[in-house]
């Protein structure tokens, strides 16, 4: 979900916050910035291999 929310260009922070609410993203995860999301996802993908 986080990757899908951060991927579209041109969204404001306020719009992204609304998407987090709409997709029921946890409050802790909502605080992640784009770089941290990328880092966490890359780590998870590496573990899945």
């Amino acid at each position: 979900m986080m990757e899908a929310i951060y991927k579209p260009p041109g969204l404001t922070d306020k719009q992204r916050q609304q998407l987090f609410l709409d997709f029921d993203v946890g409050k802790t995860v909502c605080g992640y910035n784009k770089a941290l999301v990328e880092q966490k996802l890359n780590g998870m993908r590496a573990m899945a291999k």
Side-chain angles (χ1 to χ4, degrees):
M1 287 295 181
M2 295 295 289
E3 189 173 43
I5 291 171
Y6 277 116
K7 194 169 188 163
L11 292 178
T12 65
D13 288 339
K14 191 172 185 176
Q15 289 169 319
R16 284 195 174 94
Q17 287 300 322
Q18 186 58 50
L19 288 172
F20 293 144
L21 292 173
D22 292 345
F23 289 116
D24 199 30
V25 174
K27 289 182 180 183
T28 302
V29 178
C30 286
Y32 290 5
N33 63 30
K34 187 176 182 176
L36 184 56
V37 170
E38 293 273 336
Q39 180 183 16
K40 297 276 187 185
L41 289 174
N42 287 338
M44 291 165 57
R45 287 179 183 129
M47 289 176 54
K49 289 184 178 181

mmCIF file of all heavy atoms in Angstrom:
data_model
loop_
_atom_site.group_PDB
_atom_site.id
_atom_site.type_symbol
_atom_site.label_atom_id
_atom_site.label_comp_id
_atom_site.label_asym_id
_atom_site.label_seq_id
_atom_site.Cartn_x
_atom_site.Cartn_y
_atom_site.Cartn_z
ATOM 1 N N MET A 1 0.811 -1.194 0.000
ATOM 2 C CA MET A 1 0.000 0.000 0.000
ATOM 3 C C MET A 1 0.858 1.263 0.000
ATOM 4 O O MET A 1 0.572 2.200 -0.716
ATOM 5 C CB MET A 1 -0.916 0.028 1.224
ATOM 6 C CG MET A 1 -2.050 -0.916 1.161
ATOM 7 S SD MET A 1 -3.120 -0.432 -0.182
ATOM 8 C CE MET A 1 -4.354 -1.629 -0.022
ATOM 9 N N MET A 2 1.884 1.243 0.850
ATOM 10 C CA MET A 2 2.716 2.437 0.950
ATOM 11 C C MET A 2 3.389 2.755 -0.379
ATOM 12 O O MET A 2 3.455 3.903 -0.784
ATOM 13 C CB MET A 2 3.786 2.251 2.033
ATOM 14 C CG MET A 2 3.235 2.126 3.431
ATOM 15 S SD MET A 2 2.406 3.626 3.986
ATOM 16 C CE MET A 2 3.798 4.690 4.209
ATOM 17 N N GLU A 3 3.865 1.742 -1.049
ATOM 18 C CA GLU A 3 4.512 1.951 -2.341
ATOM 19 C C GLU A 3 3.520 2.538 -3.340
ATOM 20 O O GLU A 3 3.845 3.459 -4.083
ATOM 21 C CB GLU A 3 5.071 0.627 -2.847
ATOM 22 C CG GLU A 3 5.943 0.752 -4.053
ATOM 23 C CD GLU A 3 6.600 -0.563 -4.404
ATOM 24 O OE1 GLU A 3 5.931 -1.614 -4.366
ATOM 25 O OE2 GLU A 3 7.794 -0.535 -4.703
ATOM 26 N N ALA A 4 2.306 2.033 -3.333
ATOM 27 C CA ALA A 4 1.279 2.530 -4.248
ATOM 28 C C ALA A 4 0.906 3.978 -3.936
ATOM 29 O O ALA A 4 0.624 4.755 -4.848
ATOM 30 C CB ALA A 4 0.041 1.643 -4.169
ATOM 31 N N ILE A 5 0.924 4.349 -2.685
ATOM 32 C CA ILE A 5 0.582 5.712 -2.292
ATOM 33 C C ILE A 5 1.696 6.686 -2.663
ATOM 34 O O ILE A 5 1.430 7.806 -3.094
ATOM 35 C CB ILE A 5 0.260 5.774 -0.783
ATOM 36 C CG1 ILE A 5 -1.046 5.033 -0.513
ATOM 37 C CG2 ILE A 5 0.175 7.225 -0.300
ATOM 38 C CD1 ILE A 5 -1.376 4.842 0.949
ATOM 39 N N TYR A 6 2.951 6.268 -2.519
ATOM 40 C CA TYR A 6 4.066 7.158 -2.825
ATOM 41 C C TYR A 6 4.416 7.215 -4.313
ATOM 42 O O TYR A 6 5.082 8.133 -4.752
ATOM 43 C CB TYR A 6 5.313 6.758 -2.033
ATOM 44 C CG TYR A 6 5.312 7.311 -0.632
ATOM 45 C CD1 TYR A 6 5.263 6.477 0.469
ATOM 46 C CD2 TYR A 6 5.361 8.675 -0.415
ATOM 47 C CE1 TYR A 6 5.265 6.989 1.749
ATOM 48 C CE2 TYR A 6 5.356 9.199 0.857
ATOM 49 C CZ TYR A 6 5.312 8.348 1.942
ATOM 50 O OH TYR A 6 5.312 8.861 3.209
ATOM 51 N N LYS A 7 3.967 6.244 -5.092
ATOM 52 C CA LYS A 7 4.371 6.164 -6.497
ATOM 53 C C LYS A 7 3.811 7.289 -7.382
ATOM 54 O O LYS A 7 4.552 7.860 -8.175
ATOM 55 C CB LYS A 7 3.977 4.803 -7.067
ATOM 56 C CG LYS A 7 4.635 4.500 -8.371
ATOM 57 C CD LYS A 7 4.421 3.059 -8.759
ATOM 58 C CE LYS A 7 5.265 2.749 -9.974
ATOM 59 N NZ LYS A 7 5.427 1.334 -10.176
ATOM 60 N N PRO A 8 2.525 7.634 -7.285
ATOM 61 C CA PRO A 8 1.995 8.674 -8.186
ATOM 62 C C PRO A 8 2.651 10.040 -7.930
ATOM 63 O O PRO A 8 2.671 10.506 -6.791
ATOM 64 C CB PRO A 8 0.506 8.744 -7.856
ATOM 65 C CG PRO A 8 0.203 7.543 -7.054
ATOM 66 C CD PRO A 8 1.486 7.092 -6.434
ATOM 67 N N PRO A 9 3.171 10.659 -8.966
ATOM 68 C CA PRO A 9 3.780 11.980 -8.793
ATOM 69 C C PRO A 9 2.716 13.065 -8.632
ATOM 70 O O PRO A 9 1.581 12.905 -9.081
ATOM 71 C CB PRO A 9 4.563 12.185 -10.094
ATOM 72 C CG PRO A 9 3.833 11.350 -11.099
ATOM 73 C CD PRO A 9 3.263 10.176 -10.342
ATOM 74 N N GLY A 10 3.087 14.127 -7.971
ATOM 75 C CA GLY A 10 2.220 15.298 -7.889
ATOM 76 C C GLY A 10 1.204 15.318 -6.763
ATOM 77 O O GLY A 10 0.467 16.284 -6.629
ATOM 78 N N LEU A 11 1.168 14.267 -5.930
ATOM 79 C CA LEU A 11 0.236 14.293 -4.803
ATOM 80 C C LEU A 11 0.828 15.122 -3.665
ATOM 81 O O LEU A 11 2.029 15.074 -3.411
ATOM 82 C CB LEU A 11 -0.035 12.879 -4.285
ATOM 83 C CG LEU A 11 -0.799 11.939 -5.194
ATOM 84 C CD1 LEU A 11 -0.930 10.567 -4.528
ATOM 85 C CD2 LEU A 11 -2.165 12.482 -5.535
ATOM 86 N N THR A 12 -0.024 15.862 -3.004
ATOM 87 C CA THR A 12 0.428 16.626 -1.850
ATOM 88 C C THR A 12 0.483 15.719 -0.624
ATOM 89 O O THR A 12 -0.085 14.620 -0.621
ATOM 90 C CB THR A 12 -0.525 17.795 -1.547
ATOM 91 O OG1 THR A 12 -1.794 17.244 -1.151
ATOM 92 C CG2 THR A 12 -0.695 18.704 -2.747
ATOM 93 N N ASP A 13 1.161 16.172 0.421
ATOM 94 C CA ASP A 13 1.209 15.402 1.667
ATOM 95 C C ASP A 13 -0.189 15.192 2.225
ATOM 96 O O ASP A 13 -0.503 14.127 2.753
ATOM 97 C CB ASP A 13 2.083 16.108 2.704
ATOM 98 C CG ASP A 13 3.558 16.045 2.362
ATOM 99 O OD1 ASP A 13 3.958 15.155 1.574
ATOM 100 O OD2 ASP A 13 4.316 16.876 2.885
ATOM 101 N N LYS A 14 -1.023 16.204 2.096
ATOM 102 C CA LYS A 14 -2.395 16.104 2.597
ATOM 103 C C LYS A 14 -3.179 15.030 1.829
ATOM 104 O O LYS A 14 -3.927 14.249 2.423
ATOM 105 C CB LYS A 14 -3.094 17.462 2.475
ATOM 106 C CG LYS A 14 -4.414 17.539 3.190
ATOM 107 C CD LYS A 14 -4.939 18.952 3.196
ATOM 108 C CE LYS A 14 -6.208 19.035 4.025
ATOM 109 N NZ LYS A 14 -6.691 20.393 4.144
ATOM 110 N N GLN A 15 -2.986 14.963 0.526
ATOM 111 C CA GLN A 15 -3.652 13.941 -0.284
ATOM 112 C C GLN A 15 -3.148 12.547 0.094
ATOM 113 O O GLN A 15 -3.937 11.605 0.196
ATOM 114 C CB GLN A 15 -3.417 14.198 -1.770
ATOM 115 C CG GLN A 15 -4.164 15.405 -2.288
ATOM 116 C CD GLN A 15 -3.731 15.802 -3.684
ATOM 117 O OE1 GLN A 15 -2.549 15.781 -4.008
ATOM 118 N NE2 GLN A 15 -4.698 16.173 -4.515
ATOM 119 N N ARG A 16 -1.846 12.434 0.303
ATOM 120 C CA ARG A 16 -1.296 11.136 0.700
ATOM 121 C C ARG A 16 -1.839 10.723 2.071
ATOM 122 O O ARG A 16 -2.152 9.557 2.291
ATOM 123 C CB ARG A 16 0.226 11.181 0.712
ATOM 124 C CG ARG A 16 0.801 11.123 -0.685
ATOM 125 C CD ARG A 16 2.284 10.793 -0.690
ATOM 126 N NE ARG A 16 2.708 10.608 -2.062
ATOM 127 C CZ ARG A 16 3.231 11.548 -2.832
ATOM 128 N NH1 ARG A 16 3.409 12.761 -2.348
ATOM 129 N NH2 ARG A 16 3.576 11.289 -4.073
ATOM 130 N N GLN A 17 -1.936 11.665 2.992
ATOM 131 C CA GLN A 17 -2.485 11.348 4.311
ATOM 132 C C GLN A 17 -3.917 10.817 4.193
ATOM 133 O O GLN A 17 -4.292 9.882 4.894
ATOM 134 C CB GLN A 17 -2.451 12.579 5.231
ATOM 135 C CG GLN A 17 -1.076 12.937 5.726
ATOM 136 C CD GLN A 17 -0.426 11.839 6.538
ATOM 137 O OE1 GLN A 17 -1.072 11.155 7.317
ATOM 138 N NE2 GLN A 17 0.867 11.640 6.326
ATOM 139 N N GLN A 18 -4.683 11.390 3.288
ATOM 140 C CA GLN A 18 -6.045 10.911 3.086
ATOM 141 C C GLN A 18 -6.042 9.495 2.515
ATOM 142 O O GLN A 18 -6.855 8.661 2.907
ATOM 143 C CB GLN A 18 -6.827 11.852 2.157
ATOM 144 C CG GLN A 18 -8.290 11.484 2.023
ATOM 145 C CD GLN A 18 -9.017 11.471 3.352
ATOM 146 O OE1 GLN A 18 -8.943 12.415 4.121
ATOM 147 N NE2 GLN A 18 -9.721 10.388 3.642
ATOM 148 N N LEU A 19 -5.125 9.211 1.607
ATOM 149 C CA LEU A 19 -5.016 7.852 1.063
ATOM 150 C C LEU A 19 -4.623 6.856 2.158
ATOM 151 O O LEU A 19 -5.132 5.736 2.186
ATOM 152 C CB LEU A 19 -4.007 7.806 -0.082
ATOM 153 C CG LEU A 19 -4.456 8.469 -1.377
ATOM 154 C CD1 LEU A 19 -3.302 8.523 -2.374
ATOM 155 C CD2 LEU A 19 -5.643 7.736 -1.979
ATOM 156 N N PHE A 20 -3.733 7.264 3.054
ATOM 157 C CA PHE A 20 -3.382 6.389 4.172
ATOM 158 C C PHE A 20 -4.632 6.031 4.979
ATOM 159 O O PHE A 20 -4.837 4.874 5.344
ATOM 160 C CB PHE A 20 -2.371 7.057 5.112
ATOM 161 C CG PHE A 20 -1.012 7.290 4.512
ATOM 162 C CD1 PHE A 20 -0.299 8.421 4.840
ATOM 163 C CD2 PHE A 20 -0.435 6.390 3.640
ATOM 164 C CE1 PHE A 20 0.974 8.649 4.319
ATOM 165 C CE2 PHE A 20 0.833 6.611 3.106
ATOM 166 C CZ PHE A 20 1.532 7.743 3.447
ATOM 167 N N LEU A 21 -5.463 7.017 5.229
ATOM 168 C CA LEU A 21 -6.707 6.770 5.959
ATOM 169 C C LEU A 21 -7.651 5.888 5.159
ATOM 170 O O LEU A 21 -8.240 4.947 5.697
ATOM 171 C CB LEU A 21 -7.401 8.093 6.293
ATOM 172 C CG LEU A 21 -6.703 8.995 7.291
ATOM 173 C CD1 LEU A 21 -7.420 10.335 7.389
ATOM 174 C CD2 LEU A 21 -6.616 8.332 8.648
ATOM 175 N N ASP A 22 -7.797 6.180 3.877
ATOM 176 C CA ASP A 22 -8.702 5.415 3.018
ATOM 177 C C ASP A 22 -8.305 3.942 2.936
ATOM 178 O O ASP A 22 -9.165 3.064 2.873
ATOM 179 C CB ASP A 22 -8.750 6.001 1.611
ATOM 180 C CG ASP A 22 -9.420 7.366 1.551
ATOM 181 O OD1 ASP A 22 -10.105 7.749 2.534
ATOM 182 O OD2 ASP A 22 -9.254 8.056 0.532
ATOM 183 N N PHE A 23 -6.998 3.681 2.903
ATOM 184 C CA PHE A 23 -6.504 2.310 2.782
ATOM 185 C C PHE A 23 -6.204 1.670 4.133
ATOM 186 O O PHE A 23 -5.630 0.596 4.205
ATOM 187 C CB PHE A 23 -5.255 2.264 1.896
ATOM 188 C CG PHE A 23 -5.535 2.502 0.450
ATOM 189 C CD1 PHE A 23 -5.019 3.614 -0.194
ATOM 190 C CD2 PHE A 23 -6.328 1.631 -0.279
ATOM 191 C CE1 PHE A 23 -5.271 3.848 -1.538
ATOM 192 C CE2 PHE A 23 -6.583 1.851 -1.622
ATOM 193 C CZ PHE A 23 -6.060 2.955 -2.250
ATOM 194 N N ASP A 24 -6.576 2.358 5.210
ATOM 195 C CA ASP A 24 -6.423 1.842 6.575
ATOM 196 C C ASP A 24 -4.979 1.458 6.891
ATOM 197 O O ASP A 24 -4.711 0.397 7.447
ATOM 198 C CB ASP A 24 -7.369 0.656 6.796
ATOM 199 C CG ASP A 24 -7.601 0.382 8.265
ATOM 200 O OD1 ASP A 24 -7.544 1.327 9.067
ATOM 201 O OD2 ASP A 24 -7.834 -0.791 8.611
ATOM 202 N N VAL A 25 -4.050 2.327 6.509
ATOM 203 C CA VAL A 25 -2.636 2.132 6.819
ATOM 204 C C VAL A 25 -2.432 2.516 8.280
ATOM 205 O O VAL A 25 -2.917 3.560 8.724
ATOM 206 C CB VAL A 25 -1.747 2.987 5.885
ATOM 207 C CG1 VAL A 25 -0.292 2.892 6.291
ATOM 208 C CG2 VAL A 25 -1.930 2.575 4.441
ATOM 209 N N GLY A 26 -1.725 1.693 9.027
ATOM 210 C CA GLY A 26 -1.502 1.941 10.450
ATOM 211 C C GLY A 26 -0.836 3.286 10.720
ATOM 212 O O GLY A 26 -0.044 3.771 9.912
ATOM 213 N N LYS A 27 -1.131 3.858 11.876
ATOM 214 C CA LYS A 27 -0.608 5.182 12.219
ATOM 215 C C LYS A 27 0.915 5.210 12.293
ATOM 216 O O LYS A 27 1.541 6.183 11.907
ATOM 217 C CB LYS A 27 -1.207 5.661 13.546
ATOM 218 C CG LYS A 27 -2.663 6.016 13.434
ATOM 219 C CD LYS A 27 -3.210 6.536 14.738
ATOM 220 C CE LYS A 27 -4.680 6.868 14.555
ATOM 221 N NZ LYS A 27 -5.262 7.444 15.740
ATOM 222 N N THR A 28 1.527 4.135 12.778
ATOM 223 C CA THR A 28 2.983 4.090 12.860
ATOM 224 C C THR A 28 3.589 4.126 11.460
ATOM 225 O O THR A 28 4.529 4.864 11.194
ATOM 226 C CB THR A 28 3.445 2.814 13.581
ATOM 227 O OG1 THR A 28 2.864 2.790 14.870
ATOM 228 C CG2 THR A 28 4.950 2.766 13.700
ATOM 229 N N VAL A 29 3.033 3.354 10.562
ATOM 230 C CA VAL A 29 3.545 3.262 9.192
ATOM 231 C C VAL A 29 3.292 4.557 8.433
ATOM 232 O O VAL A 29 4.097 4.962 7.595
ATOM 233 C CB VAL A 29 2.920 2.059 8.459
ATOM 234 C CG1 VAL A 29 3.392 1.966 7.030
ATOM 235 C CG2 VAL A 29 3.230 0.769 9.199
ATOM 236 N N CYS A 30 2.215 5.246 8.715
ATOM 237 C CA CYS A 30 1.908 6.518 8.041
ATOM 238 C C CYS A 30 3.021 7.534 8.253
ATOM 239 O O CYS A 30 3.207 8.423 7.424
ATOM 240 C CB CYS A 30 0.600 7.108 8.554
ATOM 241 S SG CYS A 30 -0.859 6.278 7.976
ATOM 242 N N GLY A 31 3.757 7.419 9.337
ATOM 243 C CA GLY A 31 4.831 8.350 9.628
ATOM 244 C C GLY A 31 6.099 8.100 8.821
ATOM 245 O O GLY A 31 7.008 8.902 8.850
ATOM 246 N N TYR A 32 6.141 6.981 8.111
ATOM 247 C CA TYR A 32 7.318 6.674 7.293
ATOM 248 C C TYR A 32 7.399 7.618 6.112
ATOM 249 O O TYR A 32 6.392 7.907 5.482
ATOM 250 C CB TYR A 32 7.254 5.254 6.733
ATOM 251 C CG TYR A 32 7.417 4.124 7.728
ATOM 252 C CD1 TYR A 32 7.519 4.346 9.092
ATOM 253 C CD2 TYR A 32 7.456 2.815 7.286
ATOM 254 C CE1 TYR A 32 7.667 3.295 9.969
ATOM 255 C CE2 TYR A 32 7.603 1.759 8.165
ATOM 256 C CZ TYR A 32 7.703 2.003 9.503
ATOM 257 O OH TYR A 32 7.847 0.962 10.376
ATOM 258 N N ASN A 33 8.598 8.067 5.791
ATOM 259 C CA ASN A 33 8.761 8.864 4.581
ATOM 260 C C ASN A 33 9.070 7.932 3.409
ATOM 261 O O ASN A 33 9.280 6.733 3.595
ATOM 262 C CB ASN A 33 9.839 9.939 4.755
ATOM 263 C CG ASN A 33 11.206 9.359 5.007
ATOM 264 O OD1 ASN A 33 11.542 8.274 4.564
ATOM 265 N ND2 ASN A 33 12.014 10.107 5.745
ATOM 266 N N LYS A 34 9.110 8.480 2.220
ATOM 267 C CA LYS A 34 9.282 7.665 1.013
ATOM 268 C C LYS A 34 10.581 6.852 1.049
ATOM 269 O O LYS A 34 10.596 5.677 0.694
ATOM 270 C CB LYS A 34 9.254 8.566 -0.219
ATOM 271 C CG LYS A 34 9.257 7.816 -1.509
ATOM 272 C CD LYS A 34 9.130 8.754 -2.689
ATOM 273 C CE LYS A 34 9.096 7.989 -3.996
ATOM 274 N NZ LYS A 34 8.892 8.865 -5.142
ATOM 275 N N ALA A 35 11.664 7.457 1.515
ATOM 276 C CA ALA A 35 12.952 6.760 1.571
ATOM 277 C C ALA A 35 12.906 5.581 2.539
ATOM 278 O O ALA A 35 13.436 4.504 2.243
ATOM 279 C CB ALA A 35 14.053 7.730 1.957
ATOM 280 N N LEU A 36 12.267 5.757 3.673
ATOM 281 C CA LEU A 36 12.171 4.673 4.642
ATOM 282 C C LEU A 36 11.297 3.553 4.114
ATOM 283 O O LEU A 36 11.596 2.383 4.316
ATOM 284 C CB LEU A 36 11.641 5.198 5.977
ATOM 285 C CG LEU A 36 11.563 4.191 7.121
ATOM 286 C CD1 LEU A 36 12.922 3.536 7.379
ATOM 287 C CD2 LEU A 36 11.051 4.857 8.381
ATOM 288 N N VAL A 37 10.227 3.895 3.427
ATOM 289 C CA VAL A 37 9.365 2.877 2.808
ATOM 290 C C VAL A 37 10.181 2.047 1.823
ATOM 291 O O VAL A 37 10.130 0.816 1.841
ATOM 292 C CB VAL A 37 8.148 3.520 2.103
ATOM 293 C CG1 VAL A 37 7.404 2.502 1.253
ATOM 294 C CG2 VAL A 37 7.213 4.134 3.126
ATOM 295 N N GLU A 38 10.965 2.715 0.973
ATOM 296 C CA GLU A 38 11.806 2.006 -0.002
ATOM 297 C C GLU A 38 12.781 1.076 0.718
ATOM 298 O O GLU A 38 12.963 -0.077 0.328
ATOM 299 C CB GLU A 38 12.592 3.012 -0.853
ATOM 300 C CG GLU A 38 11.746 3.858 -1.762
ATOM 301 C CD GLU A 38 11.492 3.194 -3.106
ATOM 302 O OE1 GLU A 38 12.290 2.333 -3.510
ATOM 303 O OE2 GLU A 38 10.489 3.554 -3.724
ATOM 304 N N GLN A 39 13.407 1.581 1.770
ATOM 305 C CA GLN A 39 14.381 0.789 2.518
ATOM 306 C C GLN A 39 13.722 -0.447 3.124
ATOM 307 O O GLN A 39 14.250 -1.553 3.022
ATOM 308 C CB GLN A 39 15.000 1.654 3.603
ATOM 309 C CG GLN A 39 16.028 0.943 4.448
ATOM 310 C CD GLN A 39 16.562 1.827 5.570
ATOM 311 O OE1 GLN A 39 15.973 2.851 5.908
ATOM 312 N NE2 GLN A 39 17.660 1.432 6.150
ATOM 313 N N LYS A 40 12.585 -0.279 3.767
ATOM 314 C CA LYS A 40 11.885 -1.399 4.399
ATOM 315 C C LYS A 40 11.445 -2.421 3.358
ATOM 316 O O LYS A 40 11.599 -3.622 3.557
ATOM 317 C CB LYS A 40 10.665 -0.900 5.177
ATOM 318 C CG LYS A 40 10.980 0.006 6.325
ATOM 319 C CD LYS A 40 11.312 -0.781 7.536
ATOM 320 C CE LYS A 40 11.461 0.149 8.733
ATOM 321 N NZ LYS A 40 11.888 -0.549 9.904
ATOM 322 N N LEU A 41 10.891 -1.948 2.240
ATOM 323 C CA LEU A 41 10.434 -2.870 1.198
ATOM 324 C C LEU A 41 11.602 -3.628 0.577
ATOM 325 O O LEU A 41 11.482 -4.828 0.315
ATOM 326 C CB LEU A 41 9.655 -2.113 0.120
ATOM 327 C CG LEU A 41 8.282 -1.612 0.535
ATOM 328 C CD1 LEU A 41 7.678 -0.762 -0.572
ATOM 329 C CD2 LEU A 41 7.356 -2.759 0.874
ATOM 330 N N ASN A 42 12.711 -2.963 0.339
ATOM 331 C CA ASN A 42 13.889 -3.631 -0.211
ATOM 332 C C ASN A 42 14.386 -4.715 0.738
ATOM 333 O O ASN A 42 14.766 -5.804 0.305
ATOM 334 C CB ASN A 42 14.988 -2.631 -0.533
ATOM 335 C CG ASN A 42 14.673 -1.799 -1.744
ATOM 336 O OD1 ASN A 42 13.870 -2.184 -2.592
ATOM 337 N ND2 ASN A 42 15.302 -0.641 -1.849
ATOM 338 N N GLY A 43 14.385 -4.443 2.023
ATOM 339 C CA GLY A 43 14.789 -5.429 3.016
ATOM 340 C C GLY A 43 13.854 -6.632 3.032
ATOM 341 O O GLY A 43 14.302 -7.777 3.091
ATOM 342 N N MET A 44 12.560 -6.369 2.947
ATOM 343 C CA MET A 44 11.580 -7.448 2.934
ATOM 344 C C MET A 44 11.707 -8.294 1.665
ATOM 345 O O MET A 44 11.599 -9.520 1.711
ATOM 346 C CB MET A 44 10.170 -6.879 3.074
ATOM 347 C CG MET A 44 9.907 -6.307 4.444
ATOM 348 S SD MET A 44 8.450 -5.238 4.581
ATOM 349 C CE MET A 44 7.147 -6.265 4.025
ATOM 350 N N ARG A 45 11.958 -7.633 0.543
ATOM 351 C CA ARG A 45 12.123 -8.360 -0.714
ATOM 352 C C ARG A 45 13.372 -9.227 -0.678
ATOM 353 O O ARG A 45 13.362 -10.348 -1.192
ATOM 354 C CB ARG A 45 12.188 -7.369 -1.876
ATOM 355 C CG ARG A 45 10.851 -6.744 -2.185
ATOM 356 C CD ARG A 45 10.960 -5.745 -3.315
ATOM 357 N NE ARG A 45 9.675 -5.112 -3.543
ATOM 358 C CZ ARG A 45 9.470 -3.805 -3.612
ATOM 359 N NH1 ARG A 45 10.478 -2.963 -3.491
ATOM 360 N NH2 ARG A 45 8.256 -3.317 -3.808
ATOM 361 N N ALA A 46 14.439 -8.721 -0.090
ATOM 362 C CA ALA A 46 15.679 -9.494 0.006
ATOM 363 C C ALA A 46 15.489 -10.724 0.881
ATOM 364 O O ALA A 46 16.014 -11.796 0.578
ATOM 365 C CB ALA A 46 16.802 -8.614 0.553
ATOM 366 N N MET A 47 14.727 -10.603 1.964
ATOM 367 C CA MET A 47 14.464 -11.721 2.854
ATOM 368 C C MET A 47 13.590 -12.783 2.184
ATOM 369 O O MET A 47 13.687 -13.960 2.497
ATOM 370 C CB MET A 47 13.807 -11.236 4.136
ATOM 371 C CG MET A 47 14.746 -10.462 5.026
ATOM 372 S SD MET A 47 13.949 -9.782 6.497
ATOM 373 C CE MET A 47 13.194 -11.212 7.218
ATOM 374 N N ALA A 48 12.742 -12.359 1.249
ATOM 375 C CA ALA A 48 11.816 -13.273 0.593
ATOM 376 C C ALA A 48 12.494 -14.156 -0.452
ATOM 377 O O ALA A 48 11.933 -15.150 -0.887
ATOM 378 C CB ALA A 48 10.675 -12.499 -0.049
ATOM 379 N N LYS A 49 13.705 -13.783 -0.851
ATOM 380 C CA LYS A 49 14.397 -14.551 -1.896
ATOM 381 C C LYS A 49 14.953 -15.833 -1.382
ATOM 382 O O LYS A 49 15.254 -16.156 -0.381
ATOM 383 C CB LYS A 49 15.519 -13.715 -2.528
ATOM 384 C CG LYS A 49 14.977 -12.610 -3.370
ATOM 385 C CD LYS A 49 16.124 -11.882 -4.037
ATOM 386 C CE LYS A 49 15.578 -10.779 -4.928
ATOM 387 N NZ LYS A 49 16.622 -10.062 -5.607
#
